[in-house]
Amino acid sequence: MDIIEFFHRFKAYPLTRYSLLLASIIGTAFGFYYYEWQLRTSPVYYWPLIPDSPVFTLMYVLVLAAYSVGRRSNLFDTFTFIGLNKIGIWTLFVLLYDFDYYFSPETWVFRSVLFLLHIGMVLCALTLVKDMKRPTFTMMGLILGVFLVLDYFDYIIGTHPYLHTPRVDVVGFAAVILTIGCWGVVWLIRERDKDGDGDVREDQQPGAV
């Protein structure tokens, strides 16, 4: 069994899929709670741009829920895949980049939990790979554009999560590299759907449950 098939089974089998769904709902709720102070002190019109991690875990919840009723959107799956990987890896980078602060004796337990949760985001993204087809060239361009706009708001306008590091430029550069890198991975791992159709019924997929 290859690694793509291994992770796909966590989504394909009802017991593991519903376990992932429950864990993702709990993680999403915790994520929004984590951002509560920043949301409360930010203008309402910036709220959709601030809680990156819980937004993408919420998208993953919707992916699993749709899959459970025999539906899926390739475009939505692809966007979610890129977001889970980008934000998951970005958070791991930030925690390690300022290791002495985030893993101080007073906070290392909590930060270790955050570290593991964001590894989990990357692992969840792997459950999407087998069913994904690469969207059309136009749609891939649109996806890249959306993520770059989000990076612009985060590091030019300043909607990024509260950070301790004084080198926000380094963190922002890492975010853009991850945007391009995670977007590029889609080109490498999946060929475009020959019909160019991003929305398919899951019960039309081989091996669907």
Side-chain angles (χ1 to χ4, degrees):
M1 183 194 311
D2 63 29
I3 190 169
I4 292 177
E5 177 63 29
F6 173 77
F7 280 99
H8 173 73
R9 292 190 175 195
F10 285 92
K11 184 181 74 169
Y13 293 154
L15 179 60
T16 50
R17 180 171 67 251
Y18 293 136
S19 297
L20 278 176
L21 184 60
L22 177 60
S24 298
I25 291 172
I26 295 172
T28 299
F30 172 76
F32 281 114
Y33 171 76
Y34 181 85
Y35 280 95
E36 185 267 341
W37 172 253
Q38 186 172 354
L39 290 170
R40 194 145 48 90
T41 57
S42 300
V44 174
Y45 49 80
Y46 283 148
W47 283 10
L49 304 171
I50 292 173
D52 293 332
S53 293
V55 164
F56 283 107
T57 56
L58 176 60
M59 291 178 68
Y60 185 66
V61 166
L62 297 177
V63 167
L64 294 180
Y67 189 95
S68 297
V69 296
R71 301 289 302 182
R72 60 177 292 270
S73 165
N74 188 61
L75 186 63
F76 194 79
D77 282 10
T78 302
F79 194 85
T80 303
F81 171 84
I82 295 172
L84 288 172
N85 277 297
K86 178 198 170 176
I87 301 303
I89 297 171
W90 177 88
T91 304
L92 300 179
F93 169 77
V94 169
L95 292 174
L96 294 175
Y97 179 63
D98 210 357
F99 184 89
D100 290 341
Y101 172 78
Y102 287 114
F103 291 95
S104 66
E106 297 79 14
T107 62
W108 73 269
V109 173
F110 177 65
R111 305 299 183 186
S112 296
V113 171
L114 287 183
F115 194 87
L116 293 175
L117 289 175
H118 285 85
I119 290 176
M121 289 180 66
V122 177
L123 297 179
C124 285
L126 294 177
T127 67
L128 306 179
V129 174
K130 182 178 179 180
D131 291 325
M132 278 173 38
K133 302 292 183 183
R134 196 176 73 214
T136 63
F137 183 84
T138 301
M139 288 297 100
M140 284 296 287
L142 179 61
I143 289 172
L144 178 61
V146 170
F147 276 101
L148 290 175
V149 168
L150 293 176
D151 287 336
Y152 171 83
F153 273 94
D154 275 349
Y155 301 103
I156 302 300
I157 304 301
T159 59
H160 60 75
Y162 290 149
L163 298 169
H164 173 264
T165 177
R167 295 301 307 273
V168 176
D169 57 332
V170 173
V171 175
F173 181 74
V176 173
I177 293 298
L178 284 169
T179 288
I180 297 171
C182 295
W183 175 81
V185 165
V186 176
W187 292 80
L188 296 177
I189 63 175
R190 288 293 158 203
E191 292 298 325
R192 183 174 64 83
D193 183 350
K194 292 181 180 179
D195 297 328
D197 184 4
D199 298 323
V200 295
R201 285 188 59 84
E202 193 58 48
D203 55 15
Q204 294 172 348
Q205 300 299 309
V209 176

